[in-house]
Amino acid sequence: GQGVGRQIALHFAHNGAGGIVVNDYHADRAEAVAAEVRATGCRALAIAADVTDRLAVQEMMARATSDLGPIGVLVNNAGNMGAEPEKVGRAPFWLAPREAWDAFIDVNLYGVLNCTSAVIPGMIEARRGRLITIISDAGRTGEPGLEIYSAAKAGAAGFMRAVAKSLGRYTITANSVAIAATLTPTIADVTEDAERAKRMLSHYTIRRFGEPSDIANMVLFLASDASSWITGQTYPVNGGISFGL
């Protein structure tokens, strides 16, 4: 419903998608993006659902299929500290209560499991599909202060690799996109502090923050026929803050 997810939806709308479902925990955000998609001439459906609730996810996918047809591409984009990050206390993970850990693990790992498991049967039946999960470079390299988040994102990427091996025979691909600091509402406080932003960017080979379109370009590629022989991979789209072999 915002940031990277919004841009992915618009990229798909401008590149021949037959229909797009926009999910957000907040109904108004999902509907705002769906309205932008419809303005391009593409069909769109907004569904408010909590991706950590497996039953709600199953109901969402059933409605999506009923309204728009079989699901051919799933983008797991929900992330960070859950639907209501302002309620999550920040403390060293060894001092934080289990509930603070769960806020990261539930959305970043279980959310991916819930959404992916809900679409796989239809993709197997169609013998075709694209599963794409947005992780963080923290899941590749680790990030101090975000240990549980790093673990959850690494788990999501590992899950995608395992799914790729399980489903390749059905012509279903599964890949991850690892992103770094991107200009979304999540990092607004960073970009408003010029000195802090400068310190952050000193670690980037390309000295700018990412744009949502940077990530959407990679996702569009992985959703397209151009990537039909690529699966089980994690692609860093990160301005060169870290390199991957």
Side-chain angles (χ1 to χ4, degrees):
Q2 60 181 357
V4 171
R6 169 184 173 272
Q7 193 58 53
I8 290 169
L10 293 174
H11 262 50
F12 280 17
H14 286 293
N15 285 275
I20 296 170
V21 178
V22 182
N23 161 246
D24 196 291
Y25 185 76
H26 302 282
D28 57 334
R29 294 201 308 218
E31 180 53 45
V33 176
E36 288 187 90
V37 170
R38 292 187 201 107
T40 72
C42 180
R43 293 187 299 165
L45 177 66
I47 302 180
D50 182 351
V51 296
T52 70
D53 182 334
R54 189 173 184 182
L55 179 59
V57 167
Q58 291 171 342
E59 292 173 348
M60 172 174 65
M61 300 305 183
R63 183 182 166 197
T65 301
S66 174
D67 286 20
L68 296 179
I71 297 170
V73 178
L74 170 70
V75 180
N76 291 308
N77 179 65
N80 211 346
M81 291 177 284
E84 298 177 292
E86 66 278 358
K87 295 183 179 180
V88 181
R90 299 299 295 269
F93 82 93
W94 56 91
L95 299 176
R98 169 65 184 269
E99 292 75 18
W101 295 7
D102 290 344
F104 288 105
I105 294 172
D106 284 351
V107 68
N108 294 291
L109 184 54
Y110 277 107
V112 174
L113 270 61
N114 289 340
C115 292
T116 303
S117 64
V119 303
I120 283 175
M123 289 184 176
I124 289 176
E125 183 178 354
R127 302 192 71 83
R128 177 182 176 84
R130 298 282 189 270
L131 303 169
I132 304 163
T133 295
I134 309 300
I135 68 162
S136 165
D137 229 38
R140 293 180 57 250
T141 65
E143 183 68 24
L146 290 173
E147 294 87 355
I148 307 302
Y149 176 72
S150 299
K153 288 297 191 182
F159 171 68
M160 281 288 104
R161 289 190 291 272
V163 166
K165 290 186 175 182
S166 298
L167 301 180
R169 64 185 180 275
Y170 301 109
T171 325
I172 298 169
T173 67
N175 294 286
S176 300
V177 179
I179 69 175
T182 306
L183 291 172
T184 68
T186 304
I187 69 162
D189 60 328
V190 174
T191 57
E192 289 169 2
D193 184 335
E195 284 302 313
R196 185 180 178 190
K198 184 178 179 179
R199 287 195 302 271
M200 281 186 65
L201 289 175
S202 69
H203 298 287
Y204 285 75
T205 303
I206 300 173
R207 299 283 171 92
R208 68 170 175 85
F209 290 110
E211 297 282 353
S213 58
D214 294 318
I215 290 84
N217 286 335
M218 176 59 77
V219 174
L220 184 66
F221 166 69
L222 291 173
S224 74
D225 289 340
S227 68
S228 63
W229 208 48
I230 298 172
T231 195
Q233 306 303 313
T234 297
Y235 284 92
V237 180
N238 64 7
I241 193 171
S242 69
F243 296 159
L245 297 177

